[in-house]
Amino acid sequence: MSLLEVRNLTKSFGGVRAVDDFSFGAEQGEIVGIIGPNGAGKTTAFNLITGVYPLDRGSILLEGKELAGKEQFEITRSGIGRTFQNIRLFKGLSVLENVMTAADPYSPYGLFSLFTLGAAFRRREREVRAAAMEYLALVGLEKYADEKPSNLPYGLQRKLEIARALATGPKVLLLDEPAAGLNPSEVREFIGLVGELRERFGFAVLVIEHRMEVIMTLCSRIYVLNFGKLLASGTPAEIRANHEVTEAYIGKEDASCSV
Amino acid sequence: MLVQNILNGISLGSVYALIAVGFALIFNVLKFSNFSQGGVMTVTAYAGYVASRYLSDRLDSLVLFAAVLAAAAVSGAVIAAAVERLAFRRLRRTKSEPVYYFISSITMGILLENLITIYASSNFYSYPRFFATSAVPLFGVNVAVTDMMMFALSIAALLALLFILHRTKIGLGIRAACFDVNTVQLMGMNPDFLVTTALMISGALGGVSGVFLGMNYTLYPQLGQMVVKGFVASVLGGLGSIHGAVIGAVLLGILEIFFISWVGAGWAPVFVFIVMLAFLLVRPRGIAGIIVQEKA
Amino acid sequence: MDYFVSTVIFTGIALIGVLGVYLITGLTGLFSLGQAAFMAIGGYVSAVLIRNYNVPVVPAVALAIVAAMLAALLVGLPTVRLRRDYISLVTLGFGEAIVALLNNSANITGGAMGISGIPQLTTLPVVLVSVVVCLALVILYKNSKYGRQCLALRSDELAAKSMGIDVYRLKLITFLFAGALTGYSGVLFGFYTTYLEPAAFNWIISAEWTIIVFVGGVNSLTGTVLATILLTWLPEFLRFASEWRVAIYCVIVLLIVNYRTAGIMGERELSPKTLRRLLGRTKEAPR
């Protein structure tokens, strides 16, 4: 049994099939890439897995348990963590609090313990703070703990998104274009970071990315989406050799298109 | 009785529609519910009254009525333009979030209401009777002339609005601004001009409704708090939808009249609230059915 | 002196009510245009229990707060799942419905004439202790998982859900807490003025409280407290301006909202940490 198994994922918006009968899976400790041109339905697939939109059809099994139809927060708590393509950090909170917030849903204390300054509240608050500091340290942000996220440069905001996702305790981590906007040295650093995190936590990683360097170095399996449909899947070497994929990406060879 | 209630409801609803459409219009352009409209309505109701006092010796019946409405509409437009300048212009320059517009507009509404309180010192005034006959028979029931006038003129005002929105360049600009107010610059339009025009249109509509409300009830400074009827109708209609706002307003008018005749004016708000809540639970996207799906 | 004391008491009562609005608007980013109705519920329930049914004070107050929370549950349960815009609509309708209800059950509430002869139990010490306790509870709430999650949800509801936050439950809890606070401020109000009338609790009051929170600063509790004190005292200072008071008040609010959009305090809080930073800065300055 795979850790994550997605079958026949389908979703239409109006008359457009954004994701059409997409099936894939990920094993524990595996890094899986999802690539495809803009508008191919990659982010929609993530949104379906995390419960942002309801599915039209299909099933999402995490350790054999069905996630389709559950609320977003339930899906996250079952073990699906994610980052966002267009960075969605919490503006009113500090860097540290951003990470703490993602661990807060697991805090068992109630209002009574809070209002009486009970031991449960104080202990848990210390734990969450310490854990959040640790996640920040993992991505190298510990010295910015008290900053506001908007004061961080773009590359660090992306790292903060990852630290926040880690705090939800994922079994599967979904990264949506995590390297977008990073400069080449940051990209290399990022590749190293994802590898380390995978070693440390043993989770599966699904990554959507346009930077081929990231996909080709990290992923053991790649799925290529085009117009919502699965175009090809395989190892990085197989995908690189696939003509259909290159065509979908950069058009036919005679087209005067350069990216 | 049934016909009577429906007719009364529609005429009340048509007044609400004037307010609701103003809300929808501004929501389209600036993405907030413009509560300053209430203050504008209070001022225009008094402006109409003052006009009627000055003109009642010189003009008669219909002409007088038309003059009063015109005075109220013009003053509404002027005040709304002033409100834009004082309460929204700077927020637009600093690209503030819609909530600040909301706060600014509510404060502006309270300010205008208060200025009228100072002017009229909480006295009650009432409009003169504009028409010799007060009611005419229609479908076997007596319909008040003012009700008919309210209905007819509201329809006329709404049609004029639709004409402006769909047949003029400025209307095109306002509809385009629905997506992004600043892109109209690319179409060679001045966003300031556009926003001011939208507010002036909604102010003029509010002016007309102010007179109607003043005629229906007595004139008092808190008259403008009836603005919430327009807010309710426009939200029920589906935020930003002109047609939805009109339908919402007429439904609200009919509902209120029905409940008033069944359970009395006192209990009516309770029942209206329950119906409204039930409606939102069954159809959370409003009458117009515009659903805004957030993108992740 | 009496006059001063009464102003302090009114400010304290208003502050407890505004704290409720702070939880809903400042922390969670929702608008309640019917918050004053919870004040009415608190005031009326305690007054009626004591006056008409001879219930002792403490249980009467407790029941009044429970009643306000039940009302918050009634409004909250169906609305927390609705879009934000609808929440202001539903709370507005609820507020107006409560006022109508009070107006029309004359045999219990005295109807539009109001209810009088409520014992005067609210004294300066009672108000001061109440303010300190309520403020402490709100400070704790803000600095716990609840407050953090509220701020997260205010900033980005979708991302909040994706971090495992049960936003509906969170909104409901916040609503209930706010209802309890506002209800209690109503209790204090009734026990001070000894007279309650429905007209005192319409949506304009709720709107004014919301304005106070914004004048204070986006989500700063310190700012909310400062703004409450400032804005409830301002009309008193402006007494010389007699009838122009409210107008001047509005102009000042307009200036703050337009020219200092983040409010008096922005997101800053007065805490030991910021105090130290502030002092540190002034120490460094002479060098």
Side-chain angles (χ1 to χ4, degrees):
Chain A
M1 186 178 70
S2 299
L3 175 64
L4 177 73
E5 205 174 317
V6 176
R7 293 187 199 137
N8 313 105
L9 203 61
T10 303
K11 178 74 185 179
S12 303
F13 293 113
V16 185
R17 282 261 169 117
V19 177
D20 191 357
D21 211 30
F22 179 32
S23 299
F24 68 101
E27 304 296 333
Q28 182 131 20
E30 189 183 22
I31 300 180
V32 173
I34 300 178
I35 62 172
N38 287 326
K42 305 179 299 290
T43 297
T44 306
F46 271 19
N47 285 339
L48 291 172
I49 296 170
T50 53
V52 175
Y53 313 132
L55 313 183
D56 290 350
R57 202 158 61 76
S59 106
I60 300 157
L61 298 171
L62 181 69
E63 296 176 319
K65 281 195 290 271
E66 182 62 67
L67 293 185
K70 287 194 173 178
E71 292 276 355
Q72 257 176 283
F73 74 89
E74 292 172 318
I75 293 175
T76 306
R77 292 183 192 181
S78 328
I80 308 263
R82 77 172 292 178
T83 68
F84 294 94
Q85 181 181 351
N86 45 341
I87 303 188
R88 304 182 80 134
L89 294 165
F90 303 128
K91 285 185 227 67
L93 296 167
S94 72
V95 167
L96 179 67
E97 286 166 335
N98 261 273
V99 182
M100 287 172 78
T101 301
D104 280 326
Y106 302 105
S107 298
Y109 65 83
L111 282 177
F112 181 78
S113 177
L114 170 65
F115 288 157
T116 52
L117 285 175
F121 159 64
R122 280 177 294 150
R123 178 167 13 93
R124 178 62 190 170
E125 201 66 5
R126 269 197 308 275
E127 281 169 14
V128 169
R129 191 169 291 269
M133 272 317 270
E134 204 173 314
Y135 292 125
L136 281 181
L138 275 177
V139 298
L141 285 177
E142 67 276 27
K143 58 177 177 294
Y144 302 103
D146 290 330
E147 285 290 334
K148 284 275 139 78
S150 51
N151 296 340
L152 297 185
Y154 197 73
L156 296 189
Q157 290 192 21
R158 288 234 174 261
K159 284 184 173 173
L160 179 54
E161 278 240 333
I162 294 176
R164 189 178 64 171
L166 290 178
T168 64
K171 294 169 183 150
V172 180
L173 179 63
L174 275 53
L175 302 175
D176 194 349
E177 295 198 28
L182 301 190
N183 66 36
S185 82
E186 284 174 326
V187 169
R188 276 191 298 281
E189 193 193 341
F190 167 77
I191 292 172
L193 174 67
V194 174
E196 274 170 42
L197 293 176
R198 189 252 316 252
E199 288 307 310
R200 188 186 161 110
F201 295 100
F203 44 45
V205 180
L206 298 183
V207 53
I208 294 175
E209 193 44 78
H210 285 298
R211 306 282 271 262
M212 281 309 122
E213 189 188 353
V214 175
I215 292 288
M216 295 300 169
T217 338
L218 281 173
C219 302
S220 53
R221 230 183 328 163
I222 296 169
Y223 292 85
V224 188
L225 277 182
N226 196 23
F227 295 112
K229 280 201 169 79
L230 185 64
L231 186 71
S233 67
T235 62
E238 284 165 358
I239 294 300
R240 214 173 314 199
N242 190 321
H243 284 295
E244 270 185 280
V245 175
T246 32
E247 267 174 28
Y249 252 94
I250 49 177
K252 299 209 193 278
E253 277 185 28
D254 53 20
S256 56
C257 175
S258 61
V259 178
Chain B
M1 196 58 186
L2 182 76
V3 181
Q4 179 88 58
N5 278 343
I6 291 181
L7 289 179
N8 289 350
I10 290 177
S11 95
L12 181 63
S14 60
V15 179
Y16 291 168
L18 292 176
I19 313 170
V21 162
F23 266 95
L25 195 61
I26 302 308
F27 193 91
N28 255 330
V29 181
L30 294 175
K31 309 291 172 226
F32 78 102
S33 293
N34 177 25
F35 273 84
S36 68
Q37 183 82 337
V40 174
M41 279 155 52
T42 300
V43 178
T44 56
Y46 279 85
Y49 172 76
V50 171
S52 76
R53 287 291 298 273
Y54 275 112
L55 298 173
S56 61
D57 304 337
R58 276 158 254 176
L59 301 171
D60 204 42
S61 188
L62 258 180
V63 187
L64 173 63
F65 185 54
V68 166
L69 281 181
V74 169
S75 61
V78 171
I79 295 158
V83 168
E84 193 278 332
R85 196 68 194 76
L86 297 174
F88 306 139
R89 181 68 62 91
R90 203 184 138 77
L91 290 174
R92 287 201 301 114
R93 291 277 180 277
T94 52
K95 297 203 176 3
S96 303
E97 287 172 46
V99 285
Y100 296 105
Y101 291 80
F102 177 73
I103 296 297
S104 206
S105 77
I106 285 194
T107 315
M108 203 67 205
I110 298 174
L111 175 63
L112 289 174
E113 178 188 309
N114 202 256
L115 291 177
I116 290 297
T117 311
I118 294 168
Y119 164 76
S121 52
S122 309
N123 288 337
F124 291 88
Y125 297 99
S126 59
Y127 272 96
R129 275 184 51 198
F130 289 108
F131 311 108
T133 39
S134 61
V136 289
L138 188 76
F139 302 122
V141 292
N142 279 329
V143 182
V145 174
T146 36
D147 275 358
M148 270 171 37
M149 280 290 171
M150 263 158 51
F151 177 69
L153 286 167
S154 300
I155 295 291
L158 293 174
L159 287 176
L161 172 70
L162 286 181
F163 177 81
I164 293 173
L165 278 182
H166 291 277
R167 290 281 181 278
T168 64
K169 194 175 173 224
I170 184 89
L172 181 68
I174 290 174
R175 283 184 295 138
C178 172
F179 299 101
D180 181 1
V181 107
N182 295 314
T183 44
V184 299
Q185 261 171 311
L186 303 175
M187 299 160 53
M189 272 189 206
N190 179 355
D192 287 347
F193 173 66
L194 200 83
V195 170
T196 310
T197 312
L199 268 153
M200 286 176 77
I201 294 173
S202 110
L205 293 173
V208 176
S209 65
V211 172
F212 287 153
L213 290 175
M215 284 164 59
N216 243 4
Y217 309 91
T218 46
L219 265 182
Y220 59 104
Q222 286 76 31
L223 190 72
Q225 294 184 11
M226 298 285 276
V227 73
V228 293
K229 308 292 186 188
F231 171 65
V232 171
S234 75
V235 180
L236 287 180
L239 288 165
S241 159
I242 304 274
H243 301 89
V246 174
I247 297 170
V250 173
L251 285 181
L252 182 66
I254 293 177
L255 261 182
E256 283 193 345
I257 296 288
F258 264 87
F259 281 127
I260 286 172
S261 79
W262 283 341
V263 295
W267 287 100
V270 180
F271 285 84
V272 170
F273 168 68
I274 292 168
V275 172
M276 186 175 86
L277 192 59
F279 174 80
L280 284 179
L281 291 177
V282 178
R283 197 177 162 82
R285 38 178 90 171
I287 293 164
I290 303 167
I291 187 106
V292 190
Q293 189 126 32
E294 213 182 346
K295 274 190 72 162
Chain C
M1 194 58 201
D2 276 357
Y3 173 69
F4 176 76
V5 168
S6 106
T7 310
V8 171
I9 286 178
F10 276 124
T11 308
I13 293 172
L15 179 57
I16 295 172
V18 173
L19 283 178
V21 178
Y22 169 78
L23 290 173
I24 294 177
T25 306
L27 268 191
T28 320
L30 307 173
F31 286 97
S32 170
L33 291 179
Q35 201 61 22
F38 296 102
M39 193 174 183
I41 292 170
Y44 269 92
V45 169
S46 59
V48 167
L49 284 178
I50 288 184
R51 244 188 49 136
N52 302 10
Y53 301 99
N54 291 317
V55 177
V57 176
V58 174
V61 171
L63 283 173
I65 293 173
V66 169
M69 288 174 78
L70 276 180
L73 189 70
L74 187 79
V75 192
L77 262 185
T79 39
V80 288
R81 278 165 193 269
L82 295 174
R83 284 188 43 184
R84 281 160 189 247
D85 314 285
Y86 292 153
I87 293 181
S88 40
L89 174 63
V90 173
T91 48
L92 174 87
F94 170 75
E96 300 302 279
I98 289 290
V99 170
L101 212 72
L102 294 173
N103 269 324
N104 288 280
S105 23
N107 47 342
I108 307 171
T109 63
M113 300 296 293
I115 188 168
S116 55
I118 308 167
Q120 195 174 38
L121 301 170
T122 303
T123 57
L124 187 61
V126 169
V127 168
L128 292 181
V129 170
S130 301
V131 165
V132 169
V133 171
C134 292
L135 198 56
L137 293 183
V138 174
I139 290 173
L140 278 174
Y141 194 83
K142 188 193 175 186
N143 292 300
S144 71
K145 66 169 180 181
Y146 295 101
R148 281 193 295 270
Q149 295 186 76
C150 283
L151 281 171
L153 134 71
R154 177 198 160 132
S155 143
D156 191 329
E157 186 155 346
L158 192 147
K161 286 179 185 169
S162 288
M163 293 309 130
I165 298 173
D166 184 350
V167 296
Y168 306 131
R169 199 181 129 85
L170 184 66
K171 284 183 195 169
L172 198 59
I173 292 173
T174 309
F175 238 81
L176 287 178
F177 186 22
L181 284 174
T182 316
Y184 181 58
S185 81
V187 173
L188 291 175
F189 184 75
F191 285 157
Y192 185 66
T193 58
T194 72
Y195 168 75
L196 292 169
E197 58 169 342
F201 302 103
N202 74 356
W203 65 272
I204 292 283
I205 309 292
S206 310
E208 282 175 9
W209 285 351
T210 309
I211 291 172
I212 291 179
V213 170
F214 270 87
V215 166
V218 212
N219 52 43
S220 165
L221 191 52
T222 317
T224 298
V225 175
L226 282 179
T228 309
I229 295 171
L230 218 72
L231 293 184
T232 24
W233 281 56
L234 193 63
E236 305 299 327
F237 285 134
L238 293 172
R239 210 151 260 275
F240 65 89
S242 64
E243 57 185 356
W244 290 88
R245 281 189 301 170
V246 182
I248 296 171
Y249 169 100
C250 288
V251 169
I252 292 174
V253 170
L254 276 175
L255 286 176
I256 292 176
V257 173
N258 282 281
Y259 287 88
R260 196 175 159 84
T261 308
I264 301 173
M265 293 291 288
E267 293 184 358
R268 288 183 300 275
E269 292 287 7
L270 194 65
S271 66
K273 203 188 250 173
T274 48
L275 262 183
R276 236 174 289 141
R277 202 181 296 167
L278 220 67
L279 293 174
R281 225 174 259 161
T282 45
K283 256 182 229 157
E284 277 167 35
R287 265 191 291 157

